[in-house]
Amino acid sequence: MGNMLNVSSNPHIRSSESTTKIMLYVIIALLPTTCFGVYNFGLHALLVVLTTVATTVLTELIYELLMKKKVTIGDLSAAVTGLLLALNLPPQTPLWVAVMGGVFAILVVKMLFGGLGQNFMNPALGARCFLLISFTSIMTNFECDAYTGATPLAALKAGESVNVMDMIIGRTAGTIGETSMLAIVLGACILILLGVIDLRVPGSYIVSFVIFIVLFSGKGLDPQYISAQLAGGGLMLGAFFMATDYVTRPITKKGQYVYGIFLGIMTGIFRLFGPSAEGVSYAIIIGNLLVPLIEKFTTPKPFGKGGERA
Amino acid sequence: MAKLTFNGGIHPYDGKELSKDKPMKEILPKGDMVYPLSQHIGAPAAPIVAKGDRVLAGQKIAEAGGFVSAPIYATVSGTVKTIEPRRVVTGDMVNSIIIENDEQYEEVTYTPHNPDEMTKQEIIACIQEAGVVGMGGAGFPTHVKLSPKEPEKIEYIIANCAECEPYLTSDYRRMVEQPQKLVDGMKIMLKLFDNARGILAIEDNKPDCFKTFKELTKDEPKITVKALQTKYPQGSERQLIYASTGRAINSTMLPADAGCIVDNVDTIVAIYHAVVEGKPLMNRIVTVTGDAVNDPRNFLVRIGMNYKDLIEEAGGFKSEPEKIISGGPMMGFALFDLDVPTTKTASALLCMTKDEVSKYEPSACINCGRCLEVCPSRIMPKKLAICAEHQDEEGFVKNHGMECVECGSCSYVCPAKRHLAQPIKSMRKTVLANKKK
Ligand code: SF4
Ligand code: SF4
């Protein structure tokens, strides 16, 4: 028989997990909030989602074909980036802006840094911030057929009262995928049950954020205010779906707590003291930049180290 | 009570049901027997027979090549055919004694001992003479392990009954069919160390063995039976010590530094045979299993027997195997060719119709952290594999690469199907080799 046998180094078995599966799970988990967004904001929101996803996938494909690299769109990571980016765009975003965002996310943030796993910044968030800076008025205009007023967070910042129930369900103005706390948490539960994410980052993020606003908002333990802060803006989407992005969060367990707490504090600072009502995206991007440092200081101690006997 | 275990680890499909409930079967081998002179850690054994000599089963055919070495015994009667290099499971060519089996199975007469009347030195000498080595895979000569610098500091003797490798059931069958031998072997070991207590550490997926041993040791105040969480690599020496005693050792330490001595089931039974029955190490239990064989089960195999014949005994192949592994799927060697002999350390022959490894192509690391999470050594496989691939020895050592126990959990779990354990393992070899220079 001789050469017919396969020879390779141990281990000889592999788990059934795969990158593609994980990405597919993320997409599935994002579906509730995506569907709610489309239901809430109408057909144009759907077009934005489809355009962005198509753009990210095609950009990756074309780039890889041109550079004669292995085509990796099958791992679905480009699709996840596209979907996340779309969910972070206002419902009335012109499609050409969505296309620009998608190209930027893949080409600049992901591919130029070496592709999946090499980017130090979440591509979707990188693209969102790029769009925010380049097309500020488009990106901060949340008016659409369904809603004409300000986003609830802006209203909250202006001292107006908000309807917390509507915010939790998601019947408010905002980006396509951020408004429904309910749908996002449902998706997050799916991811947690499937073992894709755990609560280390989102948990420490949300808890430290709450503590921060209790201490510094001047509203103390006002449940109405706290729930509005939690349900409003991109906090839930950011905490569960973007701060948990494998590539751009620390890999060490301790580091994940540090990172989560840092995000909570930064988001609090941006929301309470910054010029705009929102700050999740910027907080996460700044957090992304600090990841190497956090990892450096939170490397776990190897098993049995320090126990040396003479 | 919290479960006795360690941090990290994985739960692969365990495949034990294939062979677990079938009694072990003794095989009388046919044809030539091959005895590699190096089937243990340390100096190779030196042949004391020559071509044409007639030997009996149980006769010594090679002398230990030093203190860290072990003698080798013939397991059948017959004539020495030749002494020449033969291929072994690792793929290396190792000088071996080949005996033409006359199929008479004539044996020498053994002199039994009463361990109660023996001194410590006599017991250890007896074990040394019998050629007993660690049969879990390492092949470290047992008498060396039993001769630590400060024997009074040994507080625990741990019988590794975890058998955490998927598919393997040889220890299990031994525990089901000959539990008393294990207990008696443990008692002999305890005689060597005045301050030691014995622990039978069993994974909790074998509740029947746990019960048997509880019963058998109820009048043995020095022996406790502990149930450990079923998880791979629970049977890895450092993890086992930690789970059963709470003591943690690293790569720079020996179990004896934490006051422990660990031996696996078959080794302890071999100690029993050596001391009580005066029989040298001649056979071992081998699990022949996998979805490619007709009748997966455990065999009591005479060392030196060819793997091909072992497959025949298991009813041959049901379907064409794509991969054959000597040992378990996590730490075993993939065989290039079946024409190799059973050695003292061969625990299993696993024949799989599908090779899970070649099915997948490694892709980019997504930094998911799973490898880190499962690594029992609490190191960063992802990072170490990169150091290893770049031949960055300094970075590798700095990131504690030498702490790896080569369990393979990281490669198993990686969703990007990266080869992690493999480069780490070879880098460790390089570092060790350079250190020796
Ligand atoms: S790095 Fe070594 S010890 Fe850690 S999981 Fe991989 S093989 Fe096991
Ligand atoms: S398990 Fe694989 S993909 Fe995940 S961090 Fe480790 S090497 Fe990267």
Side-chain angles (χ1 to χ4, degrees):
Chain A
M1 44 195 329
N3 300 11
M4 282 155 47
L5 291 174
N6 279 350
V7 182
S8 61
S9 180
N10 66 311
H12 307 290
I13 46 174
R14 294 287 190 271
S15 69
S16 58
E17 288 268 33
S18 71
T19 304
T20 309
K21 251 195 204 171
I22 291 174
M23 296 299 166
L24 185 65
Y25 290 158
V26 174
I27 293 174
I28 291 173
L30 282 170
L31 284 183
T33 191
T34 310
C35 294
F36 184 87
V38 171
Y39 158 80
N40 197 26
F41 298 114
L43 186 67
H44 190 75
L46 181 64
L47 289 180
V48 172
V49 171
L50 295 179
T51 309
T52 322
V53 173
T55 309
T56 49
V57 173
L58 280 178
T59 308
E60 185 158 310
L61 177 69
I62 293 169
Y63 174 85
E64 284 169 338
L65 287 179
L66 284 181
M67 304 302 285
K68 301 205 166 41
K69 290 191 173 174
K70 212 181 111 200
V71 173
T72 55
I73 54 170
D75 67 21
L76 297 181
S77 65
V80 169
T81 297
L83 185 53
L84 272 176
L85 174 60
L87 298 181
N88 275 294
L89 298 178
Q92 290 301 330
T93 307
L95 296 185
W96 61 270
V97 173
V99 169
M100 285 195 65
V103 172
F104 185 88
I106 296 296
L107 206 57
V108 180
V109 191
K110 185 175 177 186
M111 285 314 185
L112 291 188
F113 283 102
L116 180 63
Q118 303 297 316
N119 48 294
F120 60 87
M121 194 188 277
N122 184 319
L125 280 184
R128 183 193 188 184
C129 293
F130 159 74
L131 294 179
L132 262 173
I133 294 165
S134 321
F135 310 103
T136 314
S137 60
I138 295 177
M139 289 295 291
T140 51
N141 173 16
F142 293 100
E143 300 220 345
C144 58
D145 299 342
Y147 305 97
T148 44
T151 63
L153 267 194
L156 201 65
K157 189 154 183 147
E160 294 159 28
S161 72
V162 290
N163 182 334
V164 176
M165 211 50 219
D166 277 349
M167 292 174 74
I168 290 176
I169 295 169
R171 286 186 300 234
T172 62
T175 71
I176 296 173
E178 73 180 11
T179 60
S180 173
M181 180 172 181
L182 216 57
I184 294 168
V185 171
L186 176 72
C189 290
I190 297 177
L191 283 194
I192 292 170
L193 288 179
L194 289 172
V196 176
I197 63 168
D198 53 57
L199 278 173
R200 283 191 286 271
V201 170
S204 52
Y205 185 173
I206 292 169
V207 169
S208 61
F209 172 73
V210 170
I211 295 176
F212 187 90
I213 58 165
V214 167
L215 292 178
F216 299 107
S217 66
K219 301 254 187 327
L221 280 168
D222 176 3
Q224 171 93 10
Y225 181 77
I226 295 173
S227 345
Q229 279 286 4
L230 283 179
L235 180 64
M236 287 296 141
L237 190 65
F240 286 109
F241 287 94
M242 285 177 298
T244 53
D245 170 31
Y246 288 153
V247 178
T248 55
R249 58 103 177 88
I251 196 169
T252 61
K253 279 190 192 175
K254 254 193 242 160
Q256 290 169 7
Y257 290 113
V258 174
Y259 178 69
I261 294 170
F262 176 82
L263 297 186
I265 295 173
M266 287 310 286
T267 307
I269 293 177
F270 278 124
R271 281 201 183 171
L272 294 184
F273 310 120
S276 98
E278 182 53 298
V280 169
S281 299
Y282 288 120
I284 297 180
I285 283 193
I286 296 172
N288 288 167
L289 300 179
L290 289 179
V291 165
L293 197 69
I294 297 177
E295 279 184 358
K296 203 170 156 203
F297 288 105
T298 54
T299 307
K301 204 173 77 164
F303 181 80
K305 264 287 166 199
E308 282 93 341
R309 295 193 180 183
Chain B
M1 199 180 77
K3 273 205 181 149
L4 299 174
T5 189
F6 62 97
N7 284 321
I10 53 172
H11 300 275
Y13 162 67
D14 86 344
K16 295 194 195 265
E17 78 274 1
L18 289 176
S19 55
K20 157 175 186 288
D21 297 318
K22 293 184 212 160
M24 60 177 148
K25 194 164 132 192
E26 186 166 358
I27 312 179
L28 289 179
K30 311 241 164 13
D32 287 359
M33 302 290 279
V34 176
Y35 304 92
L37 292 167
S38 200
Q39 33 184 304
H40 49 255
I41 290 178
I48 52 171
V49 289
K51 192 173 162 176
D53 287 358
R54 172 160 162 88
V55 295
L56 298 179
Q59 181 180 333
K60 196 198 277 185
I61 52 172
E63 191 89 72
F67 179 64
V68 184
S69 181
I72 291 163
Y73 289 80
T75 56
V76 294
S77 55
T79 330
V80 178
K81 202 170 173 184
T82 177
I83 300 177
E84 64 179 25
R86 283 292 177 97
R87 198 169 295 287
V88 296
V89 288
T90 53
D92 301 331
M93 298 297 278
V94 172
N95 213 17
S96 310
I97 300 175
I98 291 88
I99 291 178
E100 194 174 338
N101 181 1
D102 64 10
E103 291 172 31
Q104 305 296 314
Y105 310 103
E106 269 179 78
E107 288 196 40
V108 299
T109 40
Y110 307 107
T111 28
H113 312 271
N114 179 354
D116 292 333
E117 289 163 9
M118 294 167 85
T119 65
K120 289 177 188 161
Q121 281 67 36
E122 281 169 347
I123 293 180
I124 292 183
C126 197
I127 294 169
Q128 178 171 14
E129 189 53 28
V132 181
V133 302
M135 292 162 79
F140 191 72
T142 302
H143 66 274
V144 183
K145 218 185 220 182
L146 293 177
S147 317
K149 274 197 215 94
E150 304 166 297
E152 68 286 351
K153 289 211 174 139
I154 298 299
E155 293 168 279
Y156 294 106
I157 295 177
I158 305 170
N160 185 353
C161 319
E163 197 160 59
C164 60
E165 267 271 4
Y167 290 94
L168 268 55
T169 55
S170 55
D171 288 350
Y172 174 76
R173 284 319 302 175
R174 185 73 96 174
M175 291 189 282
V176 167
E177 296 182 35
Q178 304 173 333
Q180 190 61 48
K181 284 190 181 175
L182 181 68
V183 174
D184 289 347
M186 173 61 95
K187 286 204 293 207
I188 295 170
M189 293 172 80
L190 284 171
K191 278 187 202 308
L192 299 173
F193 303 99
D194 299 332
N195 302 322
R197 307 173 54 80
I199 297 176
L200 303 177
I202 304 180
E203 273 191 342
D204 59 9
N205 61 350
K206 311 175 193 52
D208 46 338
C209 297
F210 183 79
K211 264 218 325 266
T212 321
F213 285 120
K214 271 275 188 217
E215 186 57 32
L216 285 177
T217 58
K218 68 174 187 296
D219 300 320
E220 304 287 346
K222 281 186 122 182
I223 301 180
T224 44
V225 190
K226 291 194 176 182
L228 313 181
Q229 189 193 349
T230 302
K231 182 163 78 169
Y232 178 86
Q234 191 64 267
S236 155
E237 198 166 64
R238 290 179 217 163
Q239 279 59 47
L240 187 79
I241 292 177
Y242 181 73
S244 41
T245 70
R247 299 178 180 188
I249 60 169
N250 59 42
S251 64
T252 64
M253 303 160 74
L254 289 173
D257 292 325
C260 295
I261 285 182
V262 182
D263 266 312
N264 89 318
V265 173
D266 241 12
T267 314
I268 298 178
V269 171
I271 291 177
Y272 167 84
H273 285 147
V275 177
V276 177
E277 298 177 355
K279 274 191 189 164
L281 177 55
M282 287 166 60
N283 51 37
R284 65 159 300 132
I285 304 183
V286 180
T287 311
V288 182
T289 186
D291 57 358
V293 291
N294 269 314
D295 181 22
R297 64 158 68 228
N298 283 285
F299 295 98
L300 187 62
V301 180
R302 295 192 187 216
I303 288 160
M305 180 176 171
N306 193 287
Y307 272 177
K308 265 192 207 143
D309 302 335
L310 212 51
I311 301 277
E312 286 309 305
E313 292 287 337
F317 290 124
K318 171 163 71 179
S319 41
E320 199 59 48
E322 197 172 87
K323 193 173 213 181
I324 299 185
I325 298 158
S326 171
M330 292 302 296
M331 291 187 79
F333 293 100
L335 291 181
F336 180 68
D337 192 341
L338 259 184
D339 191 11
V340 292
T342 311
T343 60
K344 294 179 180 180
T345 53
S347 54
L349 202 51
L350 170 57
C351 313
M352 306 205 281
T353 50
K354 286 229 163 47
D355 179 10
E356 292 195 7
V357 176
S358 64
K359 199 167 70 185
Y360 301 115
E361 213 180 301
S363 54
C365 165
I366 54 170
N367 201 51
C368 68
R370 282 171 175 73
C371 53
L372 219 82
E373 193 134 330
V374 300
C375 176
S377 305
R378 318 312 292 155
I379 51 181
M380 296 210 196
K382 162 204 149 106
K383 210 169 178 180
L384 288 166
I386 294 172
C387 290
E389 271 154 16
H390 293 143
Q391 293 299 317
D392 171 12
E393 233 188 279
E394 208 188 308
F396 184 81
V397 174
K398 215 173 89 207
N399 285 298
H400 310 290
M402 299 313 285
E403 293 305 312
C404 168
V405 295
E406 303 185 356
C407 68
S409 302
C410 47
S411 299
Y412 172 81
V413 84
C414 177
K417 308 297 167 195
R418 299 186 68 74
H419 300 303
L420 298 166
Q422 182 181 334
I424 295 175
K425 225 170 103 175
S426 30
M427 193 70 203
R428 288 187 77 233
K429 273 209 195 92
T430 315
V431 175
L432 284 178
N434 288 349
K435 246 191 211 159
K436 276 199 191 118
K437 268 183 208 155

